[in-house]
Amino acid sequence: MSKSAPLFNRLALIGVGLIGSSIARAARAQGAVREIVATAQSAATRRRVTELGLADQVVENNAAAVAGADLVIVCVPVGVCGTVAADIGPHLAKGAIVSDVGSVKGAVLRDMAPHLPGDTHFVPAHPVAGTENSGPDSGFATLFVGRWCILTPPAGADPSAVERLAAFWRLLGANVETMPAAHHDLVLAITSHLPHLIAYTIVGTADELAEVTRSEVLKFSAGGFRDFTRIAASDPTMWRDVFLTNKDAVLEMLGTFNEDLSQLTRAIRRGDGEALFEHFTRTRAIRRGIVQIGQDSPAPDFGRSHPDLPVEPLPRPYAVSSDD
Ligand code: NAP
């Protein structure tokens, strides 16, 4: 496989969990950068990143990681993005592009921007791809293939910096779209954040019915419940931060959801089969639309492939949908 000329000289990764380690693996596989410098919060993770050989250099702190980097990607939970920006701000190279991967964009923009010097380019991003797993072992090079990466550059951002970052994500296999941070947060509240909240609720409710849960629910767990348990296994820190930082959009969507749930409840109570059938027919069409645009497969397991990326074993379970 022929690699392209590197788009960046030195990539600094702050945080090497699922997303950071997948970026490292994909950037390596694609020759997207000449060199990767990485750091993480704990010595244990930094040691593991070294053992896995994910970076050319693993350094002890955030400030050291960004020295001389022309691309910095902050891959930490949304709630600590501001602290990390304060750590790295004074040490950034002139002209560096600074980005992140957070699942919420308004809060990241608000918390990071004040710490970044005017001679750097801040272009927040969210790769809409993931699994319920965390840590450097859980990443894989094909995670972003065929997935969307949403860029939310602030007003006045340098278009050439935005385009350079877009080119980086495209090289990793992603499709790129640009939108305002507030719009991103509203869209993701319904497509990702609310589904996670519902999964956390259902699995929690089933667990409260302890007698059933310990026996029949687990034993007979059909596709629906199994999928919910997978989503509800997502990282507690990441998802706590998502709900704390995207509070308004989630509450707005939750209001609409509760109204719709009340309507379905009423239809069941009244034995209104026509209303139920109509509703389920509409939602079935939405599912088919998602399959048609290639964001999922009709097969039970969604196998990803990309002609330009090496095939490597995908961790299980990785299938069906992204926990982003
Ligand atoms: P993860 O696997 O838990 O990894 C988080 C990493 O951040 C770890 O390496 C952690 O280090 C490091 N970290 C935490 N605080 C730090 C600090 N103050 N300074 C330096 N490093 C720090 O998380 P992830 O799933 O990759 O998620 C990272 C970001 O991606 C989140 O903002 C999330 O919203 C976003 N995202 C996640 C998904 C998904 O499906 N998981 C999808 C799209 C976007 P230690 O291991 O030492 O604690």
Side-chain angles (χ1 to χ4, degrees), residues 200-214 217 225:
Y200 282 126
T201 311
I202 287 188
V203 176
T205 305
D207 190 50
E208 276 158 29
L209 302 171
E211 222 173 273
V212 191
T213 309
R214 303 272 138 72
V217 171
F225 187 72

Side-chain angles (χ1 to χ4, degrees), residues 68 85 94 110 134 170-171 225 290 296:
K94 189 169 182 261
R110 181 198 65 208
S134 310
R170 282 195 288 266
L171 194 53
F225 187 72
I290 289 172
D296 208 342

Side-chain angles (χ1 to χ4, degrees), residues 14-21 39-46 62 74-81 83-84 87 100-104 126-136 138 235 238-239 242 322-324:
I14 314 279
V16 196
L18 170 72
I19 301 298
S21 75
T39 193
Q41 183 172 234
S42 67
T45 299
R46 294 196 296 270
N62 298 339
V74 174
C75 306
V76 304
V78 170
V80 290
C81 280
T83 316
V84 168
D87 289 347
D100 76 306
V101 294
S103 308
V104 177
H126 175 204
V128 186
T131 74
E132 70 279 23
N133 301 316
S134 310
S138 63
D235 188 66
M238 168 185 159
W239 284 98
V242 166
S322 52
D323 301 344
D324 37 309

